[in-house]
Amino acid sequence: MASTVSDGDGAADRYRRAQRGLTRLLLRDVGRLWRLFSPAQPALFPDWLEAASEVVARYGDMSASLAAEFYDAQRADADVDGAFTVPLADAVPDQAEASLRWATHDVWPAEGEAEAGRDPLASRLAVAERRTEAVTQKLVADQGRETVRRAVREDRQAVGYARAAALKACAFCRLMASRGMAYKSAGTAGRDANDRFSGDASVAKFHDDCHCGIIPVFRGQRFELSAHAQEWDRLYREYAAPFPGDQLRRFRRAIAEHG
């Protein structure tokens, strides 16, 4: 008899909590490093950028290790044949640097731009700090998610994966989670579901401050939506599915009114 795996089972919840715990430690260290960010000394920015990138790389490796441990445990529970070594996803230094530059680019005026008329420096710094926290969280979480995705692609005993979203996740994440084990190909994952989540990182898109996890499914297993994901699927089918081109907006409204 096929075993059942779900986005709402205990293992998925524990893994998501472990990754969120890692995020808390990451943001603690990012906050400490932010004290060294000096808008009055732009010449020191490269040193801050290098240090922040190193923090992202260190925590990204920990995220990948957590993901590999989770995958190994799920594979053992599935009792499939053969050994498999999970390939750990690597950090992407250029991506980290580009994200951190984007997060802080409004602190200083662009070349030829006058300081007068811009938001107060304190406001710009606050925005830059929030953006820095958001992009570093995504970079680290993505390294763990990519580890699971890569393992599913390379493991002959894996048949696909599903998205596990928290109860308070955004409408897009809830919609993606409600599709169940639909992420073996771009066509079933809905790559163009929303332009804001386009990119080449994954057929399952993730945004800043997204804590969704990926659940592998193996041969002989049956994936079953959790009760809350089943409810999201019901809301989508009833209130959004009949309206191509307007589905995400209608799904978001359905959650607000009925979720």
Side-chain angles (χ1 to χ4, degrees):
M1 181 178 179
S3 62
T4 300
V5 62
S6 171
D7 60 301
D9 63 24
D13 288 342
R14 288 191 296 274
Y15 173 58
R16 191 164 53 232
R17 287 198 299 270
Q19 288 286 7
R20 290 197 72 129
L22 190 65
T23 292
R24 286 192 291 272
L25 295 176
L26 164 72
L27 296 184
R28 179 202 64 188
D29 287 356
V30 168
R32 289 172 177 172
L33 192 60
W34 186 254
R35 300 170 192 169
L36 305 178
F37 186 92
S38 176
Q41 297 177 288
L44 298 180
F45 176 72
D47 294 334
W48 175 86
L49 183 64
E50 181 179 0
S53 297
E54 289 176 356
V55 169
V56 169
R58 184 169 71 252
Y59 277 95
D61 288 344
M62 287 188 275
S63 177
S65 295
L66 279 176
E69 292 173 5
F70 170 67
Y71 188 91
D72 285 340
Q74 293 295 98
R75 196 176 194 274
D77 287 344
D79 196 26
V80 294
D81 296 331
F84 179 75
T85 300
V86 177
L88 299 180
D90 296 322
V92 185
D94 291 346
Q95 185 181 12
E97 180 176 328
S99 296
L100 290 165
R101 285 186 181 278
W102 170 83
T104 56
H105 76 279
D106 283 336
V107 171
W108 298 282
E111 186 175 352
E113 182 183 10
E115 182 70 27
R118 305 183 75 221
D119 291 337
L121 178 59
S123 298
R124 301 200 305 269
L125 278 173
V127 170
E129 184 176 13
R130 288 195 299 271
R131 287 177 175 175
T132 297
E133 291 176 346
V135 299
T136 54
Q137 180 275 330
K138 182 179 185 299
L139 288 165
V140 168
D142 277 352
Q143 198 167 333
R145 290 185 286 240
E146 176 59 21
T147 294
V148 177
R149 289 184 59 251
R150 188 176 298 178
V152 169
R153 288 198 304 268
E154 298 183 15
D155 187 354
R156 293 185 177 181
Q157 296 297 334
V159 297
Y161 58 93
R163 188 182 190 117
L167 287 172
K168 295 183 179 180
C170 72
F172 177 84
C173 291
R174 297 189 206 191
L175 176 57
M176 294 296 101
S178 73
R179 295 185 174 183
M181 198 197 72
Y183 298 113
K184 194 67 172 178
S185 70
T188 57
R191 171 174 289 170
D192 300 320
N194 189 311
D195 290 340
R196 293 190 300 113
F197 296 87
S198 63
D200 59 3
S202 169
V203 296
K205 305 303 176 187
F206 302 97
H207 54 83
D208 292 346
D209 201 31
C210 174
H211 297 279
C212 288
I214 290 179
I215 311 300
V217 184
F218 299 92
R219 297 187 188 281
Q221 288 188 316
R222 178 174 59 87
F223 181 80
E224 184 176 278
L225 284 176
S226 61
H228 55 266
Q230 290 179 39
E231 176 63 6
W232 297 338
D233 183 54
R234 184 192 69 80
L235 291 173
Y236 172 74
R237 293 180 185 279
E238 183 173 349
Y239 295 101
F243 304 94
D246 195 28
Q247 291 166 331
L248 182 58
R249 185 186 69 83
R250 287 178 175 270
F251 180 65
R252 185 180 292 114
R253 189 172 69 184
I255 287 176
E257 294 178 355
H258 308 284

